[in-house]
Amino acid sequence: MSNDSAPAPEISVVIPVFNGSNTLRAVVASVGEALSGVDYEIVLVDDGSTDDSWATITELAADPVVRGSRMLKNYGQHSAVVAGLAQARGSWVATIDDDGQNNPADIPVLLAAAENNEAGACLHQLRDGGHQ
C-alpha cells in the first residue's frame, strides 16, 4: 500500500512495527505534530505482527503522508528498517520505533543540523538512488 504518485518529500520517517497497534496511532500523530511545516512521509513496515497492527496501518495509510507495507513473517526490526529504507522516497530518512520511545520532536532538529552539514552521522541523505 503506497502513495507513490505524490512528489518525493523532504524527509521519510521509517517506523518498523511489531505488535504496535496500541501505540501506533499516537506515534504517527506525534510525528505529524513534530514535522508540521515540513514535507514528509511516514513509512510503516509491519514485521509480521500477530495483533491488529496491519489493520491500524491500513487505517493510517488513508492519510496521503502515510505509506504501509507488510513483511511475510517476522524477520526482525533491522530487516523491517531496511525494507522501509528501500521504500523511502525522501531526500533524508529518519527511523524511530513504534512504541513512542523515540521523541519525534528530535527529527526536525536533526534534519536542520543535517541540512547545515552538522549531523552527517545522524541522518543519511539519499541522492540519485544511491547512498552518500
Side-chain angles (χ1 to χ4, degrees), residues 2-130:
S2 69
N3 298 316
D4 288 332
S5 61
E10 180 178 10
I11 187 165
S12 298
V13 180
V14 173
I15 305 175
V17 178
F18 182 73
N19 293 342
S21 63
N22 292 333
T23 57
L24 201 50
R25 285 182 185 85
V27 169
V28 168
S30 294
V31 171
E33 291 168 16
L35 294 177
S36 67
V38 176
D39 186 18
Y40 71 95
E41 72 175 355
I42 299 172
V43 180
L44 302 171
V45 181
D46 183 358
D47 186 26
S49 296
T50 57
D51 67 357
D52 62 347
S53 291
W54 181 244
T56 303
I57 291 170
T58 301
E59 290 171 24
L60 291 167
D63 182 335
V65 302
V66 178
R67 304 169 66 218
S69 67
R70 191 176 201 183
M71 307 280 278
L72 295 175
K73 65 177 189 168
N74 178 245
Y75 289 97
Q77 180 180 19
H78 297 306
S79 293
V81 168
V82 170
L85 292 173
Q87 298 167 51
R89 299 176 307 118
S91 297
W92 296 92
V93 177
T95 63
I96 63 172
D97 291 340
D98 69 345
D99 59 5
Q101 195 170 25
N102 306 108
N103 186 352
D106 293 334
I107 297 171
V109 175
L110 293 171
L111 179 60
E115 288 177 332
N116 291 321
N117 294 319
E118 298 170 2
C122 295
L123 294 172
H124 195 70
Q125 187 172 24
L126 299 174
R127 287 207 179 131
D128 301 323

